[in-house]
Amino acid sequence: YTVWISDRDEQTDTDFELEAGGNRLAFQVTEVQTPGRRRGDEYRHRAVGSWTEEDWTPGSESGPRWIRDAIEKKAKRYSQSESLNLLVYLNFPAWDQQYVDVAREAAGPASAFQSVWLLNGNALCHVKAHPSLPSIGGWLMISESLAQ
């Protein structure tokens, strides 16, 4: 596999391309955060040396809906979404994300794309597969280290 990223800031629908099975697949990337969270606020407003307690319950209970909403938003934004693949970065705390629940919730809006992949801190899955990419059928755990 080869990843192609433009070194120019071209405002196109494609964030990167993945070459797989003789095909170059156009990908769009989006991120899902806890609703209302603003990136970096935790660091700006936290006292040096203090700890912040997070409640992981909202992400565990509502994560599949947040994922669905993010996919729907991207599908509505791109009129040519059927020619795009989508990579969704899950950047919210959760105790558990059951693949079956996430896949069921996201299936409708995922149908607007060629494929939809989810990436969190330690796992990858697809809720809609692409024939040029391996089907992994659930969460694929990612090793914590590249040095193996």
Side-chain angles (χ1 to χ4, degrees):
Y1 299 98
T2 305
V3 175
W4 299 88
I5 301 172
S6 177
D7 57 357
R8 292 176 279 162
D9 186 19
E10 301 165 333
Q11 297 301 309
T12 68
D13 292 352
T14 303
D15 289 329
F16 71 92
E17 293 179 319
L18 177 66
E19 189 172 329
N23 298 311
R24 279 179 89 163
L25 308 175
F27 272 83
Q28 178 61 224
V29 178
T30 194
E31 177 184 31
V32 178
Q33 296 187 75
T34 303
R37 177 180 177 230
R38 292 173 32 109
R39 181 186 308 280
D41 278 356
E42 300 91 355
Y43 304 106
R44 280 192 282 279
H45 302 295
R46 186 179 70 154
V48 175
S50 68
W51 291 89
T52 302
E53 185 175 318
E54 290 182 298
D55 181 4
W56 289 23
T57 305
S60 300
E61 293 174 354
S62 302
R65 189 179 74 248
W66 299 343
I67 294 165
R68 180 204 62 214
D69 293 349
I71 296 170
E72 282 179 346
K73 184 177 177 181
K74 281 292 184 178
K76 289 175 183 173
R77 182 172 180 185
Y78 295 98
S79 61
Q80 303 280 327
S81 64
E82 70 279 351
S83 65
L84 290 171
N85 299 274
L86 184 63
L87 175 63
V88 183
Y89 175 52
L90 310 181
N91 187 11
F92 58 86
W95 292 112
D96 191 28
Q97 289 294 316
Q98 291 295 317
Y99 172 76
V100 173
D101 298 335
V102 172
R104 180 179 48 246
E105 188 74 32
S111 67
F113 293 92
Q114 285 188 352
S115 71
V116 176
W117 296 80
L118 309 179
L119 175 67
N120 65 21
N122 64 350
L124 171 75
C125 74
H126 59 71
V127 293
K128 182 180 180 189
H130 189 284
S132 296
L133 298 171
S135 180
I136 54 178
W139 289 106
L140 174 66
M141 299 309 291
I142 300 170
S143 173
E144 290 184 30
S145 174
L146 297 175
Q148 292 187 354

